[in-house]
Amino acid sequence: MPLPQLCLRGIVAHSLALALSLTAASALAAVSVKDDAQRTVTLDKPAQRIISLAPHATELLFQAGAGKSMVAVSDYSDYPDAARQLPSVGNVFALDLERIVAYKPDLIVIWGTGNAKNLANQLRSSKLNVFESEPRDYEMVASSIERLAHLAGTDAQGKAAAAQFRERLAQLRKTYQSDAKPVSVFYQVWQKPLMTLNDTHMVSAAIRLCGGRNVFAELKEISPSISLEAVLAANPDAIISAGDSPDKLREQWKQYAILNAVKKNHIYAVKGDWLNRAGPRILEGTEALCKAIASARQ
């Protein structure tokens, strides 16, 4: 026997009220994750006022759907376009703590290495919640998107973005990984002094994925200075640097024709923001890097 219309309306109204109350409870519930330093970050409720103190963290937060909650960023946070509209509070080397506190952030995402470690401790001393971000591999990038989304209360968007990231990564691996002998690569970060990156940096993970081998992978520092003699001794098959054009790089190395990379003109440039930032666009940089290494292999 059908229920009276009034009764049905009551059931619907009750169900709607229950759903709304559960949504509200979820929005107010505490959220907790571990950051890349393996410290537990717990907020009483999802963050509503977020400051990013690293360009890569800014990109991760926007990808996680937290852009609407961001109130300030660091210098050079120029992607996506919406990040350029946010005020800058400086960078890890020159920050005004009083100004940061004045924004009343409930979450600060900071680069988790070097001088930033001291800054992170200062921020915590000011009773601020800090998430240290330092992805060292692709899975940490995907996981970062999910964890930051959880802290911002945007889990659905974060999970979708992370899944899309992993799917594209799998396609890149399928396309570019090779059983052939690795192409030896010198990745140049800076010219004077001559600098590179070691195996703990994500650029090395990208080089490996593309079938290459970082000739300075075993050095102790993450971004060590090296000598010209060390590059000549390593004799890489390819020289790759961050930039928009390889012309200046070719000009720099053309006098060292004994190098395989120079002899065969295997000198390439990949957009620095894509590769050097451990954010979502690392896949753009990886694809460009893979194309360069594939060219050198041929």
Side-chain angles (χ1 to χ4, degrees), residues 265-281:
N265 197 29
H266 292 162
I267 298 178
Y268 310 94
V270 176
K271 193 170 181 178
D273 289 352
W274 289 356
L275 265 184
N276 295 342
R277 293 183 186 179
R281 292 189 297 166

Side-chain angles (χ1 to χ4, degrees), residues 40-84:
T40 300
V41 181
T42 302
L43 309 180
D44 293 337
K45 60 182 180 179
Q48 298 297 307
R49 300 183 61 80
I50 303 173
I51 293 178
S52 165
L53 295 183
H56 83 274
T58 300
E59 296 191 26
L60 287 168
L61 283 161
F62 271 95
Q63 194 74 6
K68 66 182 185 299
S69 299
M70 295 180 67
V71 295
V73 295
S74 63
D75 292 347
Y76 312 112
S77 289
D78 53 7
Y79 188 88
D81 288 340
R84 301 182 185 185

Side-chain angles (χ1 to χ4, degrees), residues 16-246:
L16 181 59
L18 180 60
L20 289 173
S21 66
L22 289 173
T23 301
S26 176
L28 294 173
V31 289
S32 183
V33 301
K34 280 193 175 180
D35 68 8
D36 292 343
Q38 295 304 299
R39 296 178 69 111
T40 300
V41 181
T42 302
L43 309 180
D44 293 337
K45 60 182 180 179
Q48 298 297 307
R49 300 183 61 80
I50 303 173
I51 293 178
S52 165
L53 295 183
H56 83 274
T58 300
E59 296 191 26
L60 287 168
L61 283 161
F62 271 95
Q63 194 74 6
K68 66 182 185 299
S69 299
M70 295 180 67
V71 295
V73 295
S74 63
D75 292 347
Y76 312 112
S77 289
D78 53 7
Y79 188 88
D81 288 340
R84 301 182 185 185
Q85 310 306 315
L86 293 169
S88 173
V89 291
N91 56 65
V92 293
F93 302 105
L95 283 171
D96 185 342
L97 284 177
E98 288 186 7
R99 187 178 175 199
I100 291 174
V101 172
Y103 276 104
K104 298 181 179 179
D106 38 29
L107 178 64
I108 298 175
V109 184
I110 190 170
W111 185 37
T113 194
N115 292 340
K117 286 285 187 186
N118 294 329
L119 177 60
N121 290 331
Q122 286 181 284
L123 293 169
R124 291 190 188 99
S125 296
S126 299
K127 307 301 181 183
L128 296 171
N129 297 305
V130 177
F131 181 103
E132 291 188 38
S133 174
E134 192 177 8
R136 294 292 181 90
D137 56 43
Y138 293 100
E139 179 51 34
M140 285 184 74
V141 173
S143 161
S144 294
I145 295 171
E146 292 172 325
R147 285 175 286 149
L148 291 171
H150 188 57
L151 290 176
T154 54
D155 287 284
Q157 188 167 338
K159 287 177 181 177
Q164 187 177 28
F165 182 94
R166 292 184 178 107
E167 184 178 348
R168 187 178 177 195
L169 174 62
Q171 187 59 49
L172 286 173
R173 285 197 172 113
K174 182 179 178 181
T175 303
Y176 291 105
Q177 279 190 333
S178 172
D179 292 330
K181 180 182 177 182
V183 174
S184 59
V185 175
F186 165 48
Y187 186 78
Q188 179 175 316
V189 174
W190 204 253
Q191 179 181 354
K192 292 182 180 179
L194 202 57
M195 295 180 71
T196 188
L197 297 170
N198 74 1
D199 198 46
T200 62
H201 195 281
M202 271 210 70
V203 167
S204 285
I207 290 172
R208 288 193 299 273
L209 183 150
C210 297
R213 175 181 62 85
N214 180 353
V215 295
F216 292 112
E218 302 305 318
L219 294 183
K220 186 176 181 180
E221 295 180 23
I222 190 170
S223 55
S225 297
I226 54 173
S227 66
L228 171 63
E229 290 73 22
V231 178
L232 297 177
N235 193 19
D237 298 320
I239 296 175
I240 302 174
S241 183
D244 296 317
S245 170

